[in-house]
C-alpha cells in the first residue's frame, strides 16, 4: 500500500491521533530518528517518541492506545524485541505500521500495515528504510496538522536516491584514505547534530563496535563542549558528520576545536555532495542522514577491507543465546 494511502486509511478510522511512537533496535532504531526529529520539530499538537524495543515492552507508555500510531522497524523482520513490541502495540489498540525488508516476516503478523523496503540493490536501496519512515512522518503531519513545505519534501524524496548513488560513486578514494589512517585506531569517536545525530550513534555501535570490533563512542556535537571535549588531544581519532542546514554551526564549532588541538579528524560533509543544491533549504536538514549514511557505508567497507575483517563477521550475535 502506498504510504499516503496508509495514513489516509488510519485517519478515516481515527480522525484524532495524539501520539506517534517509533520503535526498533540498533541500526533500525537509529534509522527511525530522522522521522522522529522531523515530527518533533514541526508538529504543534502531535507527541512523538523514539523507543528501543525492549524499553517499549517493559515500560510501555500509557498513551499507547487507539489515539496512537506505532511504527516498528526491523531489517529482517525477526528481531524478537521488536516483534514483541509490534504485537504489544496492536493489543493496546494502536494503529501499527511495521517496516521491514522481508515480506511475511514475524514483525508483520500483528501489524495493521506493512511497508517493505529494499536493501541489496545498491547504496540508495540501503537507505530506503530511513527514507520511507521519514515519508510516513511527513504524511502523518500533513494529513493531521498540515505542513507548509510538504511539496518540497516530496520533491526531496524524488531526488535523494540519485544523490546518494552519485555521492558513493565518487567517495572511494576518501574512504580508502580514512581506512588506512584509522585501521589501527584503538578507539574512534563519532559525532554530529540535527537529524544526523543517530547516524553517528549507529555508525559507532553497529559498524564500528559490532561489525569491526573497534572501541567507539558517539555524542551530539552540541554536547561536545559539555564533557567529551576534555579527551581531545593530538592524534585522538574523530569522525565528524557535518550537516547542510540549521545545525551546521554546531558541527563547525566542534571542527574548529578538533583542529585547534590537532586531533586526528575525518569529516564527512553533506555539502561536499551537493545536497543543498538539489534539496530546498526549508527541508534540507531532513535529508542529511540518508546521504551521509550512504557515504559512511563505503567508509566502513573500505575499513573492513584493510583490516581483513568482513562486515558480516560476528563472535556473539546470532552465534549463541543471549
Amino acid at each position: 500500500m502506498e504510504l499516503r494511502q496508509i495514513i489516509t486509511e488510519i485517519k478515516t478510522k481515527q480522525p484524532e491521533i495524539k501520539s506517534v511512537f517509533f520503535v526498533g533496535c540498533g541500526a533500525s532504531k537509529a534509522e527511525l530518528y530522522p522521522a522522529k526529529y522531523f515530527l518533533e520539530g514541526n508538529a504543534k499538537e502531535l507527541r512523538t517518541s523514539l523507543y528501543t524495543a525492549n524499553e517499549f515492552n517493559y515500560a510501555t507508555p500509557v498513551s499507547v492506545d487507539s489515539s496512537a500510531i506505532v511504527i516498528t522497524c526491523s531489517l529482517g523482520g525477526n528481531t524478537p524485541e521488536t516483534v514483541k513490541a509490534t504485537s504489544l502495540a496492536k493489543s493496546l489498540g494502536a494503529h501499527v505500521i511495521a517496516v521491514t525488508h522481508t515480506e511475511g516476516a514475524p514483525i508483520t503478523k500483528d501489524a495493521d500495515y506493512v511497508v517493505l523496503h529494499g536493501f541489496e540493490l545498491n547504496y540508495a536501496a540501503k537507505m530506503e528504510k530511513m527514507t520511507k519512515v521519514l515519508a510516513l512522518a511527513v504524511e502523518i503531519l500533513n494529513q493531521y496538522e498540515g505542513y507548509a513545505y510538504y511539496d518540497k519534501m516530496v520533491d526531496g524524496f524524488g531526488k535523494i536516491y540519485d544523490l546518494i548513488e552519485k555521492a558513493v560513486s565518487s567517495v572511494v578514494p576518501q574512504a580508502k584514505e580514512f581506512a588506512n589512517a584509522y585501521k589501527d585506531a584503538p578507539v574512534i569517536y563519532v559525532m554530529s547534530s540535527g537529524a544526523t545525530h543517530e547516524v553517528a550513534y549507529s555508525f559507532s555501535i553497529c559498524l564500528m563496535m559490532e561489525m569491526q570490533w573497534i572501541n567507539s563512542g558517539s555524542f551530539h556535537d552540541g554536547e561536545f563542549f559539555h564533557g567529551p571535549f576534555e579527551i581531545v588531544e593530538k592524534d585522538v581519532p574523530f569522525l565528524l558528520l557535518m550537516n547542510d542546514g540549521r545545525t551546521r554551526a554546531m558541527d563547525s564549532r566542534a571542527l574548529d576545536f578538533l583542529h585547534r588541538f590537532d586531533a586526528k579528524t575525518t569529516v564527512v560533509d553533506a555539502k561536499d555532495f551537493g545536497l543543498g543544491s538539489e534539496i530546498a533549504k526549508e527541508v534540507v536538514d531532513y535529508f542529511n542522514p540518508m546521504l551521509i549514511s550512504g557515504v559512511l557505508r563505503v567508509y566502513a567497507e573500505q575499513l573492513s577491507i584493510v583490516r581483513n575483517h568482513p562486515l558480516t563477521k560476528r563472535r556473539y550475535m546470532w552465534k549463541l543465546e543471549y
Side-chain angles (χ1 to χ4, degrees), residues 201-278:
Y201 169 75
S202 62
F203 189 83
S204 178
I205 72 161
C206 294
L207 288 159
M208 293 297 94
M209 298 173 78
E210 174 191 335
M211 300 182 192
Q212 287 298 290
W213 306 350
I214 294 174
N215 290 322
S216 185
S218 70
F219 32 85
H220 192 290
D221 58 34
E223 288 289 286
F224 180 56
F225 296 96
H226 304 279
F229 76 147
E230 284 293 339
I231 56 91
V232 174
E233 56 185 351
K234 183 176 172 58
D235 294 331
V236 174
F238 280 85
L239 176 60
L240 175 63
L241 314 178
M242 294 192 70
N243 295 277
D244 190 345
R246 294 172 297 173
T247 66
R248 186 176 179 85
M250 287 190 285
D251 307 333
S252 297
R253 183 187 178 201
L255 181 60
D256 288 344
F257 192 87
L258 294 173
H259 285 165
R260 180 177 170 186
F261 291 96
D262 294 322
K264 187 174 187 175
T265 306
T266 292
V267 175
V268 175
D269 189 344
K271 279 201 170 190
D272 289 342
F273 305 103
L275 186 69
S277 64
E278 295 288 337

Side-chain angles (χ1 to χ4, degrees), residues 106-127:
I107 195 177
T108 68
K109 180 173 68 74
D110 287 329
D112 297 299
Y113 305 94
V114 176
V115 174
L116 296 173
H117 63 83
F119 191 78
E120 289 91 357
L121 181 62
N122 53 29
Y123 292 95
K126 297 182 193 314
M127 298 303 112

Side-chain angles (χ1 to χ4, degrees), residues 293-313:
S293 291
V295 170
L296 284 179
R297 185 79 186 189
V298 182
Y299 276 59
E301 289 170 351
Q302 292 301 318
L303 186 62
S304 75
I305 291 168
V306 300
R307 298 183 73 245
N308 194 29
H309 186 122
L311 294 177
T312 54
K313 188 175 182 179

Side-chain angles (χ1 to χ4, degrees), residues 10 14 16-18 63-69 92-95:
I10 292 174
Q14 187 70 36
E16 183 182 11
I17 288 292
K18 296 179 180 179
S63 51
V64 179
D65 57 22
S66 61
S67 69
I69 294 173
L92 294 172
H95 307 272

Side-chain angles (χ1 to χ4, degrees), residues 68 72 79 85 108 146 150 154 157 166 189 211-212 253 287 301:
T72 62
T79 306
T108 68
Y150 176 79
V154 171
F157 289 130
K166 183 178 178 181
Y189 297 108
M211 300 182 192
Q212 287 298 290
R253 183 187 178 201
F287 292 91
E301 289 170 351

Side-chain angles (χ1 to χ4, degrees), residues 6-313:
I6 290 174
I7 306 307
T8 299
E9 190 169 306
I10 292 174
K11 190 176 182 186
T12 300
K13 293 185 289 185
Q14 187 70 36
E16 183 182 11
I17 288 292
K18 296 179 180 179
S19 304
V20 181
F21 295 94
F22 299 96
V23 182
C25 298
S28 287
K29 171 185 169 289
E31 288 175 308
L32 295 167
Y33 183 77
K36 184 253 190 185
Y37 183 85
F38 168 82
L39 277 182
E40 213 166 41
N42 292 285
K44 294 181 179 180
E45 301 294 336
L46 288 165
R47 301 185 340 180
T48 182
S49 302
L50 174 63
Y51 276 81
T52 189
N54 252 359
E55 180 82 13
F56 184 87
N57 294 332
Y58 287 121
T60 311
V62 296
S63 51
V64 179
D65 57 22
S66 61
S67 69
I69 294 173
V70 177
I71 299 173
T72 62
C73 188
S74 167
L75 175 62
N78 56 3
T79 306
E81 299 92 331
T82 312
V83 172
K84 182 178 179 181
T86 304
S87 300
L88 175 61
K90 176 65 174 176
S91 73
L92 294 172
H95 307 272
V96 185
I97 305 170
V99 182
T100 182
H101 175 51
T102 309
E103 189 171 1
I107 195 177
T108 68
K109 180 173 68 74
D110 287 329
D112 297 299
Y113 305 94
V114 176
V115 174
L116 296 173
H117 63 83
F119 191 78
E120 289 91 357
L121 181 62
N122 53 29
Y123 292 95
K126 297 182 193 314
M127 298 303 112
E128 282 186 18
K129 185 199 308 181
M130 190 187 297
T131 307
K132 287 190 174 187
V133 174
L134 176 59
L136 281 170
V138 172
E139 287 297 334
I140 291 169
L141 179 64
N142 192 55
Q143 293 197 36
Y144 278 93
E145 293 190 19
Y147 180 49
Y149 303 122
Y150 176 79
D151 290 341
K152 292 184 177 183
M153 286 295 292
V154 171
D155 182 68
F157 289 130
K159 294 175 177 176
I160 189 62
Y161 294 127
D162 286 343
L163 278 167
I164 293 166
E165 285 301 297
K166 183 178 178 181
V168 300
S169 71
S170 67
V171 81
V172 171
Q174 297 98 301
K176 285 183 175 179
E177 184 179 339
F178 166 81
N180 287 313
Y182 287 70
K183 62 184 172 63
D184 298 317
V187 62
I188 299 174
Y189 297 108
V190 193
M191 60 176 164
S192 191
S193 67
T196 311
H197 168 48
E198 288 216 2
V199 174
Y201 169 75
S202 62
F203 189 83
S204 178
I205 72 161
C206 294
L207 288 159
M208 293 297 94
M209 298 173 78
E210 174 191 335
M211 300 182 192
Q212 287 298 290
W213 306 350
I214 294 174
N215 290 322
S216 185
S218 70
F219 32 85
H220 192 290
D221 58 34
E223 288 289 286
F224 180 56
F225 296 96
H226 304 279
F229 76 147
E230 284 293 339
I231 56 91
V232 174
E233 56 185 351
K234 183 176 172 58
D235 294 331
V236 174
F238 280 85
L239 176 60
L240 175 63
L241 314 178
M242 294 192 70
N243 295 277
D244 190 345
R246 294 172 297 173
T247 66
R248 186 176 179 85
M250 287 190 285
D251 307 333
S252 297
R253 183 187 178 201
L255 181 60
D256 288 344
F257 192 87
L258 294 173
H259 285 165
R260 180 177 170 186
F261 291 96
D262 294 322
K264 187 174 187 175
T265 306
T266 292
V267 175
V268 175
D269 189 344
K271 279 201 170 190
D272 289 342
F273 305 103
L275 186 69
S277 64
E278 295 288 337
I279 308 291
K281 67 180 186 302
E282 294 87 354
V283 300
V284 71
D285 296 65
Y286 310 114
F287 292 91
N288 285 284
M290 290 80 88
L291 180 64
I292 290 174
S293 291
V295 170
L296 284 179
R297 185 79 186 189
V298 182
Y299 276 59
E301 289 170 351
Q302 292 301 318
L303 186 62
S304 75
I305 291 168
V306 300
R307 298 183 73 245
N308 194 29
H309 186 122
L311 294 177
T312 54
K313 188 175 182 179

